Structures are given as structure tokens and as C-alpha cells.
Amino acid sequence: MPHLTSDAVACCWIPLFALRCETARRPELASLPVALLSPDDTRVWQVVPLARRAGVKPGMTVSQAIGLCPTLKLCEPDPVHYAEQFSRLVAALVTVSPVIEPVELGRAYVGTDGLEGLYGSPQQIVEAIQMRSAECGMRNFSEGSFAPRPSHVHSALRIPHSALRVGWGRGKFVSWVAATRARPGAAVIVPPGEEAKFLASQRLAVLPLDPDTHRRLLQLGVKTLGALVALPEEAVVSQFGRLGRRLWRLAAGLVSEPVVGRVVPEPIVATLTFFTPVGERDLLAHALDKLVDRALANPRRSEWRVQVVRVRAELEHGASWLVAATLKDPSATRERIAAPLKTQLERSPPAGAVERLVVEFTAFAPGTTELQLFARDAGAAARAGRRHALQSAAREIALRIRRPMLYHVIEVQPWSRLPERRYALIDFEP
Amino acid sequence: MQNGSDRLRAVNVPQPAVVELDAHGSPTKIAMRNAECGMRNSDVREPVTIEAVRETWRIDDEWWREPITRTYYEVLLQGGARIVLFVDLVKQEWFVQKP
């Protein structure tokens, strides 16, 4: 799969993206204390500053939130709408640079290597990004909602009502930290060579830390990246191992991870419209299997394994439901692709009856040479049953090699520091 | 990690290696089965020069029963291969292992 990379990076970040999507389409919410419920459970997911000031925090139950803020306006989530809005933002960014790496809802990295000839200086590249993304209409909640922060290096153009924050620097980490320091609608640019100086004053929380490591560092009196870098690298490594070395180097500005843009194959979509709205989970799970099968049989899928799959449903009364799964091991088998979706279907089912169900394969991994052995069988397997094809392939391998050579990898102590304790093989019997 | 019916097999078991050290105790040469550094003739052991030590880290574990103390070295071999070695500081023996 061809990859495009770039060392110079602009991080585009819209905090509370889903909530902003709601306030953008329902302007009457703009002046109210609003909280958005999580798509996974019925807890509070995102909160506007006005409600936050009343004590409402993400993760609270609805009753806790209402108890703290009786005027709180709760919104049901609409993940399909948020995904569509984020796609619009990414599409706007693609008009500036072909190297785009979306990270999460509301955050994407833009590679800017080679754009100087088109736009000029980093300030002008950032202005181009701000202007194009402004067309997506993501507005700030209200002026003054966020306390202004000092910009340490250089701030470019400011678009007063935009919610987009941009950070520009060498590598993804520096640009991300710069974006977190930018004011809404503004940008912070870290010139090459000034990364260490810029990072030194930043708080420890900008590092990718687990809570335990964060706590341990604070107990050691390390509160900023500068304080971490002031310690000898070897001392940090002896305390925190390889993670310590990575953290120290990130804090010192020595790590520059490029943006990796991928030439994404077009998504494969399979759709089913029900004659009458369906609410039974068994029926939905069965429909899911059929749609995954249909999408797998698409000729564009051959030689690719599925890495990211989404299921969206259009519900009665105009609501929607969306679940997505990223497969740790990309797969071309129905069971493996459908399993995480069915788990989510059980855990957080649609809030109403489903009128239309859509399965989308949105990201792919190339099939390896070994998998092609099975992929040739897979065409026939779509007709005769994929499991049967796998069983016969496994039997043939056992016959040829005369001993079991197919294994499942199972987790034994995946947390162990001793590599040989983490996983084991068990005979694979399809 | 094999049970009675031999169905469970450990993955990534350390493989013994013979290592030469410099005056500071850092590995300079390693002799192991060629297969482990990606070559054919898997039974032949030939010393390979270690060009650089990229990273070192230490693991202390299971001190409450049979202590395991290891110093790991991620090294670059002559020819470009990158492998991970460790010295068992209790038995003073060297092994090759994937990280």
C-alpha cells in the first residue's frame, strides 16, 4: 500500500467535536448548559463550559448531572452525523495537502512538507488550513468561554468564531502540543530548532502517559517536560524502562514522528432496507452476518483484508445508531469481522427499531502471501461455506507436513515483563 | 509452558547464545544458530560482530519466589540485522529473545 509521509506537521484540533456538531445544527443550544450523552452507555460524554462550571463532568450519570445542574439540557448522541461532519473537515483539509492522518473525532494531522511553493511560510500554510476548514462551520461556543492562553512562540491568523485550533511543528507530538496551546480559531507555530525550548514549559499531561506513570512522575517532583529533561536520560530509563526513554526523548523534542497519509481504497458498502422496522437483536445480528458476507464478496475486496468496519442504522423517527470496530488482526472472514460488531450490538443496542442497516468496510490491510493460499479457496467458500474451506485447508496442511502446524495464539500473561510468559500456542482445530 | 497433553506451547522462549564481552562488560560478538539472525544452515554457529548497542534495559521480577534478573541489549549486528539479547544476572548466561 503506497504511503505518503511528511515531517512538517500541522495538527488540527476541535475539542468537544461531537458537542459542537450538536450546537452547530441547533443554535438554540448555544446559550444553554448542554451535555451530550455517550453512544456507548447512558453517561455524560461531553459538556459545554457553562455546564462544567456548574460541576457537571464527563462520566457522570444523568441523575448526578441533573442533580448538580437542574437546567441541564441533555442531548442524545447522533454518531453518524458526527462522523459525516468530521469527514467534511477531512475533505476540506485534503484540498490543502494530500497527506492527512485522522486520529480521532475532531483531530487530524496534516503533512505540510513541500507546500511552501504553493502557500509560502508555515504561517501562510496554517492560514490556508484555517480558511479551508472555516467553511465547515465549526464555531466556538462563545467568546470568552475559554481562558486565553499565552502563545509561546508565534501565533498566526485568528478567526474569531472558529473552534479550530492549529499547531504547527516538526513531528506529530510537537504539533499536537502546539495545538493544545492555541486559542480557539488561532494557531501556534513552533519554528524548527525551537522544539525543546517550546516543550520545556509544557505540563506533564501532554505526554502519552498512563495514570500510574503520571502519578509516579508527579511524586518525583516532575511537573513539566523541562523538569523531566533535566533528569539524566539513563535515570529515567532505569525507573520506567523503554517507556521512560520514549517519554524523555519526546519531552526533549528529539522524537519527530512523521504524518503518514494512506491512499485509502474506496469503502465497500452493503445496505439492507427492512420492509418493516426491526427491533429484535437476533434478526439484526443475522442481517449483520448477511451484509458482511455481501461486502466480503465484493470484487474490490479481493487481495485486501478488512481492518475497520462500521455499522450504521437509520432508526424510526429520524434517529441513528453507529458502531465501529478496528480489527487488531485484519481479517477476511465473516466471523472475525462480525464478532466485535455483535458484541457492541448486545452492549449498546439501537435506541429504536431499525429501518435501514448499512455495513461499511472503511479501511483495509493488504493480504499476505500466506493468506492468498486461503483467499483462492475463499471465492468458492463464499458459496460452499467458508469454515468448510478452512477445515479442508487445515487437513491438507496436516497431511502434507504430518504433524499439527496450525496454532491459535492465546494470551497467558500479556502483562508480564518476561516476553516468554505473555503468549502461548494451542493446536488449531477448525 | 507445556501441559500434560503437550497442547500448550510457550512462544518466544529465550535461546542460549555465546557472547564475547569488552572490558566494560558490553557484548561485542555473538555466536548463535544462524537461523536466529536470518541465515540458512541453521546448525552452524559462527561469531557475528555486534556493531552497536542501541538500547539497554533491566528487568527484575519474581523476587518473592525465584528471582529473575536480566539486562537486555538491543543490538545491531554486522550486516544490518537487529536482535535483542539478555544476560541472566543470576546464572550469568546469555540468551537471544524477541523483545
Side-chain angles (χ1 to χ4, degrees), chain A residues 64-245:
Chain A
Q64 284 172 325
I66 296 286
L68 286 163
C69 180
T71 56
L72 188 69
K73 174 79 181 163
L74 290 163
C75 294
E76 289 282 342
D78 184 356
V80 173
H81 177 64
Y82 312 147
E84 281 171 1
Q85 293 303 309
F86 187 54
S87 300
R88 280 185 63 199
L89 176 64
V90 171
L93 296 174
V94 168
T95 63
V96 181
S97 164
V99 188
I100 304 290
E101 190 181 325
V103 188
E104 62 182 355
L105 215 54
R107 181 154 65 110
Y109 292 111
V110 181
T112 66
D113 276 349
L115 296 186
E116 300 83 2
L118 275 174
Y119 301 103
S121 65
Q123 285 93 329
Q124 289 165 313
I125 294 171
V126 165
E127 284 172 16
I129 290 171
Q130 289 174 309
M131 296 305 288
R132 301 285 168 86
S133 56
E135 292 159 18
C136 293
M138 277 295 141
R139 294 170 70 87
N140 199 18
F141 290 118
S142 61
E143 280 298 291
S145 292
F146 295 86
R149 293 165 167 175
S151 68
H152 290 67
V153 184
H154 182 92
S155 198
L157 173 82
R158 175 117 203 264
I159 299 176
H161 300 294
S162 167
L164 181 75
R165 301 164 194 233
V166 183
W168 187 93
R170 194 134 302 267
K172 290 196 285 191
F173 178 68
V174 171
S175 71
W176 159 239
V177 177
T180 63
R181 304 308 299 165
R183 286 183 293 169
V188 168
I189 292 173
V190 184
E194 294 192 20
E195 290 85 359
K197 186 179 151 199
F198 167 71
L199 292 172
S201 59
Q202 306 301 330
R203 296 179 68 84
L204 211 53
V206 299
L207 284 168
L209 291 170
D210 59 86
D212 186 46
T213 310
H214 192 186
R215 184 181 49 76
R216 284 176 65 199
L217 282 166
L218 289 177
Q219 283 172 343
L220 290 168
V222 178
K223 290 178 181 161
T224 62
L225 303 198
L228 180 62
V229 174
L231 298 170
E233 182 180 359
E234 292 310 321
V236 178
V237 173
S238 69
Q239 280 291 322
F240 299 98
R242 300 183 82 179
L243 172 69
R245 187 181 298 279

Side-chain angles (χ1 to χ4, degrees), chain A residues 234 237 241-242 245 249 404 407 409-410 412-413 416-427 429, chain B residues 1 7-14 55-62 65 68 70 72 74 97-99:
Chain A
E234 292 310 321
V237 173
R242 300 183 82 179
R245 187 181 298 279
R249 290 188 174 177
Y407 304 101
V409 178
I410 56 167
V412 182
Q413 294 173 352
S416 175
R417 301 174 72 203
L418 304 170
E420 68 270 27
R421 300 274 172 87
R422 295 176 194 152
Y423 301 96
L425 300 177
I426 191 163
D427 291 347
E429 290 165 358
Chain B
M1 192 192 300
R7 280 175 56 88
L8 211 56
R9 296 156 196 264
V11 178
N12 201 6
V13 177
E55 201 170 339
T56 64
W57 65 96
R58 179 178 164 133
I59 286 179
D60 292 284
D61 212 337
E62 305 204 354
R65 77 180 155 197
I68 293 174
R70 298 173 177 176
Y72 276 83
E74 183 185 320
Q97 188 175 40
K98 291 187 180 69

Side-chain angles (χ1 to χ4, degrees), chain A residues 308-312 321-327 340-341 344 360 362:
Chain A
V308 179
V309 58
R310 296 198 318 176
V311 178
R312 55 193 168 87
W321 177 79
L322 174 76
V323 294
T326 300
L327 303 181
L341 303 173
Q344 294 196 51
E360 287 177 295
T362 55

Side-chain angles (χ1 to χ4, degrees), chain A residues 268 295-296 298-306 332 361 364:
Chain A
I268 294 174
L296 280 173
N298 189 308
R300 274 191 283 137
R301 207 273 311 154
S302 67
E303 299 187 10
W304 292 92
R305 289 172 294 150
V306 180
F361 296 163
F364 302 87

